Amino acid sequence: EYLAPAWRGAVWRQRFSGSAMVVRGWQLANACFFAGNVWAVRSIARLDGRNSSALPTNFLTPAPYAFAIWGVIYMMEYLFVCWQLLQGCSLRGQPLPPQRSERLRLLKRISPGWCGANACQIAWCFAFRPSLDTPQLLWISAVCLTGIAGFLSLAHGLLCEESGLSFEELILMYVPLMLHFGWTT
């Protein structure tokens, strides 16, 4: 096992019988930002977590069942994060197949957008709290939501530029990003 401190050169190697797993720094960042996102969404008390029956009627708020999609979004994003971590696996001493190398290049290109979106989601959880529910401060959460959409747009745009994505890539990479991006826009 090896973990280098530098972001660009960080590589973690785990040896299994007959195979080697290489995890790059940007792959770890993808997993860490997603884990932070999940923690923030589950742990921070937000305005949308209050008892909605006690609040006045707001016809602009989506129906409660509309939020059920988040279970699907987070499940698909979890699969994406696990899958992208496994893309560095190869048989010991063997180079990665060309398709896997291309996939790693694409994953690396979308990584800043993915990490940025998750960072903005974490910031939104901190900004969309009862203590910041004032006309003077509510704009902060709107900026965070805009950041989520902007960063996901960046990652989504890079994916859309790619031609010939495999079925596996469509399901495990495109669908999770597209669902989350679709919700935020």
Coordinates of all heavy atoms in Angstrom, one line a residue, residues 95-126:
P95 N -0.6 -4.0 -18.7 CA -1.2 -2.6 -18.9 C -2.7 -2.6 -19.0 O -3.3 -3.7 -19.3 CB -0.5 -2.1 -20.2 CG -0.3 -3.4 -20.9 CD 0.0 -4.5 -19.9
L96 N -3.3 -1.5 -18.7 CA -4.7 -1.4 -18.8 C -5.1 -1.5 -20.3 O -4.4 -1.0 -21.2 CB -5.2 -0.1 -18.3 CG -5.2 0.1 -16.8 CD1 -5.5 1.6 -16.4 CD2 -6.1 -0.8 -16.1
P97 N -6.3 -2.1 -20.6 CA -6.7 -2.2 -22.0 C -7.0 -0.7 -22.5 O -7.3 0.2 -21.7 CB -8.1 -2.9 -21.9 CG -8.1 -3.6 -20.5 CD -7.1 -2.8 -19.7
P98 N -6.9 -0.5 -23.8 CA -7.0 0.8 -24.3 C -8.4 1.5 -23.9 O -8.4 2.7 -23.6 CB -6.9 0.7 -25.8 CG -6.2 -0.6 -26.0 CD -6.5 -1.5 -24.8
Q99 N -9.4 0.7 -23.9 CA -10.8 1.2 -23.6 C -10.8 1.7 -22.1 O -11.3 2.8 -21.8 CB -11.9 0.2 -23.8 CG -13.2 0.8 -23.5 CD -14.3 -0.3 -23.5 OE1 -14.0 -1.5 -23.7 NE2 -15.6 0.1 -23.4
R100 N -10.1 1.0 -21.2 CA -10.1 1.4 -19.8 C -9.2 2.7 -19.7 O -9.5 3.5 -18.9 CB -9.5 0.3 -19.0 CG -9.4 0.5 -17.5 CD -10.7 0.2 -16.8 NE -11.2 -1.2 -17.0 CZ -10.8 -2.2 -16.3 NH1 -9.9 -2.1 -15.3 NH2 -11.3 -3.4 -16.5
S101 N -8.1 2.8 -20.4 CA -7.3 4.0 -20.4 C -8.1 5.2 -20.8 O -8.0 6.3 -20.2 CB -6.0 3.8 -21.2 OG -5.2 2.8 -20.7
E102 N -8.8 5.0 -21.9 CA -9.7 6.1 -22.4 C -10.7 6.5 -21.4 O -11.0 7.7 -21.1 CB -10.4 5.8 -23.7 CG -9.4 5.7 -24.9 CD -8.8 7.1 -25.2 OE1 -9.6 8.1 -25.1 OE2 -7.6 7.2 -25.5
R103 N -11.3 5.5 -20.7 CA -12.3 5.7 -19.7 C -11.7 6.5 -18.5 O -12.3 7.4 -18.0 CB -12.9 4.4 -19.2 CG -14.0 4.5 -18.2 CD -14.5 3.2 -17.8 NE -15.1 2.5 -18.9 CZ -15.3 1.2 -19.0 NH1 -14.9 0.4 -18.0 NH2 -15.9 0.6 -20.0
L104 N -10.5 6.1 -18.1 CA -9.8 6.9 -17.0 C -9.6 8.3 -17.4 O -9.7 9.2 -16.6 CB -8.5 6.2 -16.7 CG -8.6 5.0 -15.7 CD1 -7.3 4.2 -15.6 CD2 -9.1 5.4 -14.4
R105 N -9.2 8.6 -18.7 CA -9.0 9.9 -19.1 C -10.3 10.8 -19.0 O -10.3 11.9 -18.6 CB -8.4 10.0 -20.5 CG -6.9 9.8 -20.6 CD -6.3 10.1 -21.9 NE -6.4 9.0 -22.9 CZ -5.7 7.9 -22.9 NH1 -4.8 7.8 -22.0 NH2 -5.8 7.0 -23.8
L106 N -11.4 10.1 -19.4 CA -12.7 10.8 -19.4 C -13.1 11.1 -17.9 O -13.6 12.1 -17.6 CB -13.8 10.0 -20.1 CG -15.2 10.5 -20.0 CD1 -15.3 11.9 -20.6 CD2 -16.1 9.6 -20.8
L107 N -12.9 10.1 -17.1 CA -13.3 10.2 -15.7 C -12.4 11.3 -15.0 O -13.0 12.1 -14.2 CB -13.1 8.9 -14.9 CG -14.1 7.8 -15.1 CD1 -13.6 6.5 -14.7 CD2 -15.4 8.2 -14.4
K108 N -11.2 11.4 -15.4 CA -10.3 12.5 -14.9 C -10.8 13.8 -15.3 O -10.8 14.8 -14.6 CB -8.9 12.2 -15.3 CG -7.9 13.2 -14.7 CD -6.5 12.9 -15.1 CE -5.5 13.9 -14.4 NZ -4.1 13.6 -14.8
R109 N -11.3 13.9 -16.6 CA -11.8 15.2 -17.1 C -13.0 15.7 -16.4 O -13.2 16.9 -16.2 CB -12.0 15.1 -18.6 CG -10.7 15.0 -19.4 CD -11.0 14.9 -20.9 NE -11.8 16.0 -21.4 CZ -12.6 15.8 -22.4 NH1 -12.8 14.7 -23.0 NH2 -13.3 16.9 -22.8
I110 N -13.9 14.7 -16.0 CA -15.2 15.1 -15.4 C -15.0 15.3 -13.9 O -15.9 15.8 -13.2 CB -16.4 14.2 -15.7 CG1 -16.1 12.8 -15.1 CG2 -16.6 14.1 -17.2 CD1 -17.4 11.9 -15.2
S111 N -13.9 14.8 -13.3 CA -13.7 14.9 -11.9 C -13.8 16.3 -11.3 O -14.5 16.4 -10.2 CB -12.3 14.3 -11.6 OG -12.1 14.3 -10.2
P112 N -13.2 17.3 -11.9 CA -13.4 18.7 -11.3 C -14.9 19.1 -11.2 O -15.3 19.7 -10.2 CB -12.6 19.6 -12.2 CG -11.6 18.7 -12.8 CD -12.3 17.4 -13.0
G113 N -15.7 18.8 -12.2 CA -17.1 19.1 -12.2 C -17.8 18.3 -11.1 O -18.7 18.9 -10.4
W114 N -17.5 17.0 -11.0 CA -18.1 16.2 -10.0 C -17.8 16.7 -8.6 O -18.7 16.8 -7.7 CB -17.7 14.7 -10.2 CG -18.0 13.8 -9.1 CD1 -17.2 13.3 -8.1 CD2 -19.3 13.2 -8.8 NE1 -17.9 12.5 -7.3 CE2 -19.2 12.4 -7.7 CE3 -20.6 13.4 -9.5 CZ2 -20.3 11.7 -7.2 CZ3 -21.6 12.6 -8.9 CH2 -21.5 11.8 -7.8
C115 N -16.5 16.9 -8.3 CA -16.1 17.3 -7.0 C -16.6 18.7 -6.7 O -17.1 19.0 -5.5 CB -14.5 17.4 -6.9 SG -13.8 15.7 -6.9
G116 N -16.6 19.6 -7.7 CA -17.2 20.9 -7.4 C -18.7 20.9 -7.1 O -19.2 21.6 -6.2
A117 N -19.4 20.1 -7.8 CA -20.9 19.9 -7.5 C -21.1 19.4 -6.1 O -22.0 19.9 -5.4 CB -21.5 19.0 -8.6
N118 N -20.3 18.4 -5.7 CA -20.5 17.9 -4.4 C -20.1 18.9 -3.3 O -20.7 19.0 -2.3 CB -19.7 16.6 -4.2 CG -20.4 15.4 -4.8 OD1 -21.3 14.9 -4.3 ND2 -20.0 15.0 -6.0
A119 N -19.0 19.7 -3.6 CA -18.6 20.7 -2.6 C -19.7 21.8 -2.5 O -20.0 22.2 -1.4 CB -17.3 21.4 -3.1
C120 N -20.4 22.1 -3.6 CA -21.5 23.1 -3.6 C -22.7 22.5 -2.8 O -23.4 23.3 -2.1 CB -21.8 23.6 -5.0 SG -20.6 24.7 -5.7
Q121 N -22.9 21.2 -3.0 CA -24.0 20.6 -2.3 C -23.8 20.6 -0.8 O -24.7 20.9 0.0 CB -24.2 19.2 -2.7 CG -25.4 18.5 -2.1 CD -26.5 18.2 -3.0 OE1 -26.4 18.4 -4.2 NE2 -27.6 17.7 -2.5
I122 N -22.5 20.4 -0.4 CA -22.2 20.5 1.1 C -22.4 21.9 1.6 O -23.0 22.1 2.6 CB -20.7 20.0 1.3 CG1 -20.6 18.5 0.9 CG2 -20.2 20.3 2.7 CD1 -19.1 18.0 0.8
A123 N -21.9 22.9 0.8 CA -22.1 24.3 1.2 C -23.5 24.6 1.2 O -23.9 25.4 2.2 CB -21.3 25.2 0.2
W124 N -24.3 24.1 0.3 CA -25.8 24.4 0.3 C -26.4 23.9 1.6 O -27.2 24.5 2.2 CB -26.5 23.8 -0.9 CG -28.0 23.9 -0.8 CD1 -28.7 25.0 -1.1 CD2 -28.9 22.9 -0.4 NE1 -30.0 24.8 -0.9 CE2 -30.2 23.5 -0.5 CE3 -28.8 21.6 0.0 CZ2 -31.3 22.8 -0.1 CZ3 -29.9 20.9 0.4 CH2 -31.2 21.5 0.3
C125 N -26.0 22.7 2.1 CA -26.5 22.1 3.3 C -26.2 23.1 4.5 O -27.1 23.2 5.4 CB -26.0 20.7 3.6 SG -26.6 19.5 2.5
F126 N -25.0 23.7 4.5 CA -24.7 24.6 5.6 C -25.4 25.9 5.4 O -25.8 26.6 6.4 CB -23.2 24.9 5.6 CG -22.4 23.7 6.3 CD1 -21.7 22.8 5.5 CD2 -22.4 23.6 7.6 CE1 -21.0 21.8 6.1 CE2 -21.7 22.6 8.2 CZ -21.0 21.7 7.5

